[in-house]
């Protein structure tokens, strides 16, 4: 793997900083303070969305401060990888907030000023997502990826970002321990989510030349094995989760109306049945992402490719 130290030109860096990062901060801070009002009732999911906005504010502000102190000039390679990876996660975070906030919170608000502020916060979150995506595209151009390799710029790298992010969203929902406590099958599902998340992180961290040379097998075969294992684990988790929560034979509730917690729809937040459905859908989505990842590495193995994956 090449570890060139090409840096972006000053004009490109100025555009990224002035035209992208400043609007990111403005949008996220606006979204946060629009709903930071004592008259708005908060639920568990909305609290976690507020935390996700805080994460974006702190992360972006930290990057801006470090760039002002010229930290990137000392570590151009690792700084580039950090910035583009963070921008990908921040874009996904803002997108998920813009999706979950309306369906889990806004629809339960009365038609008054608080609802209008919540809708405006959702719009700002959408705009922030677009700006973060623009930052990723701008960074790719400024840093001339042909000379500075980045795992996130490859197809498996992007898939790993998606896999870990979806896992994090699942963790948000299963933080409600009542979904699986004292049920061995569901506790196994939680263990699967944790194991697969760790495997994905390990795979991302090991995508370096110094690690590849220490593997007992070729790099594509290593990733192929990890991905196949994750698919099998996710498949068992999806089946067990669906049977335990939605099959009457196993004590599940096939319809939302059968959950007494969902009868009162005047309160904000997601009822237990809704949360179980969200976890099932996210598990299925992650399974599809892992299958796409498996297809990529199976192709790499079949053509005899080794080492760092090429751009896709």
């Amino acid at each position: 793997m090449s570890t060139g130290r090409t840096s972006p030109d000053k004009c490109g860096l100025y555009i990224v900083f002035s035209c992208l990062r400043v609007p990111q901060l403005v949008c996220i801070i606006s979204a946060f303070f629009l709903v930071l009002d004592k008259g708005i009732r908060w639920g568990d999911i909305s609290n976690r969305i507020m935390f996700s906005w805080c994460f974006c504010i702190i992360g972006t502000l930290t990057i801006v401060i470090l760039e002002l102190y010229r930290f990137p000039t000392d570590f151009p390679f690792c700084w580039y990888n950090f910035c583009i990876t963070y921008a990908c996660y921040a874009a996904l975070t803002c997108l998920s907030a813009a999706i979950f906030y309306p369906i889990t919170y806004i629809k339960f608000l009365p038609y008054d000023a608080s609802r209008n502020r919540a809708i405006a916060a959702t719009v700002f979150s959408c705009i922030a997502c677009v700006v973060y995506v623009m930052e990723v595209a701008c960074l790719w151009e400024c840093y001339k990826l042909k000379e500075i390799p980045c795992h996130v710029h490859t197809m498996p790298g992007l898939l790993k970002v998606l896999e870990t992010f979806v896992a994090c969203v699942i963790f948000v929902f299963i933080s409600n321990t009542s979904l699986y406590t004292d049920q061995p099958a569901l506790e196994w599902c939680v263990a699967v989510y944790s194991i697969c998340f760790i495997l994905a992180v390990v795979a991302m961290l090991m995508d370096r030349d110094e690690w590849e040379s220490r593997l007992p097998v070729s790099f594509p075969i290593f990733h192929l094995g990890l991905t196949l294992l994750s698919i099998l684990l996710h498949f068992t988790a999806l089946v067990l989760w669906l049977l335990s929560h939605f099959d009457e034979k196993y004590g599940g509730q096939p319809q939302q109306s059968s959950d007494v917690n969902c009868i009162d729809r005047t309160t904000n937040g997601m009822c237990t049945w809704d949360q179980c459905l969200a976890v099932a859908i996210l598990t299925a989505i992650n399974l599809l992402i892992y299958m796409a990842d498996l297809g990529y590495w199976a192709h790499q193995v079949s053509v005899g490719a080794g080492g760092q994956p090429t751009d896709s």
Side-chain angles (χ1 to χ4, degrees), residues 6 69 95 149 290:
T6 301
Y69 282 92
L95 177 62
Y290 275 108

Side-chain angles (χ1 to χ4, degrees), residues 212-250:
E212 293 178 28
S213 59
R214 299 179 183 179
L215 293 175
V217 296
S218 67
F219 193 68
I221 293 178
F222 169 76
H223 272 284
L224 182 68
L226 286 184
T227 307
L228 181 59
L229 176 61
S230 296
I231 287 177
L232 295 176
L233 291 175
H234 265 79
F235 180 77
T236 61
L238 180 60
V239 172
L240 291 175
W241 191 270
L242 290 174
L243 290 177
S244 299
H245 281 296
F246 303 106
D247 194 323
E248 290 181 331
K249 295 180 181 180
Y250 299 94

